[in-house]
Structures are given as structure tokens and as C-alpha cells.
Amino acid sequence: MTLSMSGVVILGVIVFLFFRKDGLKASHALVTALFGFYLAGTAIAPSITAGGASLASLLGGIKF
């Protein structure tokens, strides 16, 4: 739950920054959100979730 919530917050911040700085139109953000919503209900959703968890694990393991 923590990982998915963090991912939602990070992606929300990125969308907000694109909206404010790079001229992302509200219609583009809405279409992207709807695409993500409907994609979450498909058979590929577990693969996307596993890929996101793997990427988060990879990034979490990086030592500076």
C-alpha cells in the first residue's frame, strides 16, 4: 500500500509539473488518467504492477 501510494503521489507531482511548466493541456491529462484507469482493469495490470515494484526495488537498492 505504501509503495502504490508513493507512486501515485510522485506521478501526480510529475503531472502537475508538466501541467504548470511544460504546457500540458488539461484534456491530455484527463485522457492519460482515463487510459491508466482502464489499463488497470486489463489482464496486463499485474505485469505493470510487478514492473513498477521491480523498478522501485532497483531504485531503493542504489547506494550513494
Side-chain angles (χ1 to χ4, degrees), residues 13-27 29:
V13 168
I14 291 171
V15 169
F16 177 75
L17 291 175
F18 280 161
F19 184 72
R20 296 292 290 171
K21 300 291 182 186
D22 292 336
L24 177 72
K25 295 181 181 175
S27 61

Side-chain angles (χ1 to χ4, degrees), residues 34-49:
L34 286 173
F35 176 70
F37 178 77
Y38 287 117
L39 186 63
T42 64
I44 197 170
S47 298
I48 294 171
T49 303

Side-chain angles (χ1 to χ4, degrees), residues 2-3 7-10 14-15 22 26 30 34 36 44 46 50 52 56 58-59:
T2 304
L3 176 64
V8 168
V9 171
I10 290 171
I14 291 171
V15 169
D22 292 336
L30 178 64
L34 286 173
I44 197 170
L58 176 74
L59 293 176

